[in-house]
Amino acid sequence: LVVLLESIRAAIGLKMREQALASQMAQARTIQHSLLPPVIPDLPGYQIAAVSIPAEEVGGDVYDIQEVEEGVLGLLLADASGHGLPAALQARDVVIGMRMGQAENEKITATVSRLNRVIHRSVLASRFISMFYGELEETGNLTYVNGGHCQPLLVSPTGDAFELKTSGPVLGPLPEATYQRGYMTLRPGEVLAIFSDGVTERRLPDESGADPLGEVPPVEFGIENLLKTLRGSIHLDAEGILDAVMAAVKEFGKNRPFEDDVSVMVVKRLTAADYPPAEDLTLLSVDTRR
């Protein structure tokens, strides 16, 4: 009887600990979601859409979009190594650190360098973070720092594309690492896609085997498939392009759960054809006054 009671008590204790852990993870997920911008700030002439899906309850991917000053948006996408709570805590530090730099009007290279030293001193298991941060002006000019992150893709309506090169190592390993600014211009009709490696490293299920022609299919989604999707959906709005990318990534993995955290941010600069004709604007003005 004593042994039976001890077994029951142990089982109850284990169940309570599992419930407590589940509650803590749910709270951590709530906190992580609270860091994401509830509403994407407006930048005239642009459409922006973003999503972040953790592979576990919480993840190491995070994005942020904040107004730095009038006519300028700060765009952040970061990926902490590993999964779960340690990576999520490290990702939180990145968002907070970059927002502090924005609030103090600090140069982006100085902010990233300081953040790198903070991460280096971290005692968390996840001490390596790749990140892309850029400040987009209404003119289309983008000043950015790429710390060991996937190189964002800039795609034009004609299908031309190029990558925004890295300008420094991942944050964490080297406390005295330096970061250089990069520059580019987003022209009307062009799309900038910022993403984490969970997109390009999405794996094809092993049992898929060879295709009907007997050729071995690609193991990972890769840059080429991402480019193909962006080119095929560039006529859509930013939300539509984002949906197309996510659908392609999910389909490539046969709709299985993601092996890694997946994050994508799409920035599209509008053309004159994307705006309502002048007569429509006049009618809208009349209806508003009524």
Side-chain angles (χ1 to χ4, degrees):
L1 181 60
V2 173
V3 173
L4 178 59
L5 290 175
E6 287 294 334
S7 298
I8 294 174
R9 184 168 64 179
I12 293 174
L14 178 60
K15 185 66 175 178
M16 291 178 65
R17 287 194 294 272
E18 290 176 347
Q19 291 176 344
L21 179 59
S23 176
Q24 291 172 6
M25 292 299 290
Q27 292 177 35
R29 183 169 175 81
T30 300
I31 293 171
Q32 189 172 40
H33 272 291
S34 71
L35 294 174
L36 301 178
V39 177
I40 294 179
D42 181 58
L43 186 64
Y46 296 83
Q47 294 175 339
I48 303 176
V51 68
S52 184
I53 302 175
E56 299 179 11
E57 188 72 18
V58 291
D61 279 12
V62 69
Y63 72 84
D64 196 25
I65 306 168
Q66 297 291 326
E67 186 177 47
V68 178
E69 58 184 79
E70 186 175 356
V72 181
L73 290 186
L75 311 174
L76 168 70
L77 201 153
D79 181 1
S81 60
H83 306 291
L85 190 55
L89 292 173
Q90 202 78 85
R92 175 206 60 186
D93 292 344
V94 171
V95 172
I96 294 174
M98 293 307 299
R99 287 182 182 176
M100 289 176 62
Q102 292 169 345
E104 296 171 3
N105 293 318
E106 196 174 44
K107 290 183 178 180
I108 61 175
T109 50
T111 301
V112 175
S113 294
R114 174 170 49 79
L115 188 57
N116 172 61
R117 292 191 293 271
V118 170
I119 294 170
H120 178 77
R121 294 193 296 267
S122 173
V123 297
L124 293 172
S126 175
R127 291 180 56 191
F128 306 102
I129 293 183
S130 70
M131 64 166 285
F132 177 90
Y133 176 74
E135 294 187 349
L136 177 64
E137 302 174 13
E138 194 172 334
T139 59
N141 294 330
L142 177 74
T143 303
Y144 68 89
V145 168
N146 187 341
H149 195 71
C150 301
Q151 298 177 355
L153 295 172
L154 180 67
V155 183
S156 73
T158 60
D160 295 331
F162 74 89
E163 298 176 319
L164 276 60
K165 303 298 183 181
T166 54
S167 52
V170 294
L171 281 67
L174 305 172
E176 301 305 321
T178 58
Y179 298 87
Q180 303 297 321
R181 286 173 293 181
Y183 303 91
M184 57 80 64
T185 300
L186 191 63
R187 296 179 173 84
E190 292 183 333
V191 167
L192 176 65
I194 310 168
F195 53 93
S196 64
D197 59 11
V199 174
T200 52
E201 295 179 3
R202 170 69 158 167
R203 298 185 66 83
L204 191 71
D206 294 337
E207 68 268 25
S208 295
D211 65 20
L213 299 178
E215 298 175 352
V216 177
V219 176
E220 296 180 343
F221 187 70
I223 292 293
E224 287 305 318
N225 276 324
L226 178 56
L227 266 176
K228 179 181 178 181
T229 305
L230 292 171
R231 286 168 172 151
S233 59
I234 197 168
H235 62 285
L236 302 175
D237 60 14
E239 194 71 41
I241 296 170
L242 177 65
D243 290 344
V245 170
M246 294 303 298
V249 172
K250 291 176 181 177
E251 182 181 357
F252 185 84
K254 307 300 181 185
N255 292 312
R256 293 190 174 188
F258 290 121
E259 306 90 354
D260 194 5
D261 305 326
V262 170
S263 297
V264 182
M265 183 185 300
V266 173
V267 182
K268 181 174 185 178
R269 185 171 184 184
L270 303 177
T271 64
D274 295 313
Y275 293 95
E279 57 269 20
D280 289 352
L281 293 177
T282 302
L283 290 173
L284 179 62
S285 175
V286 171
D287 289 342
T288 301
R289 286 197 298 268
R290 290 177 182 173

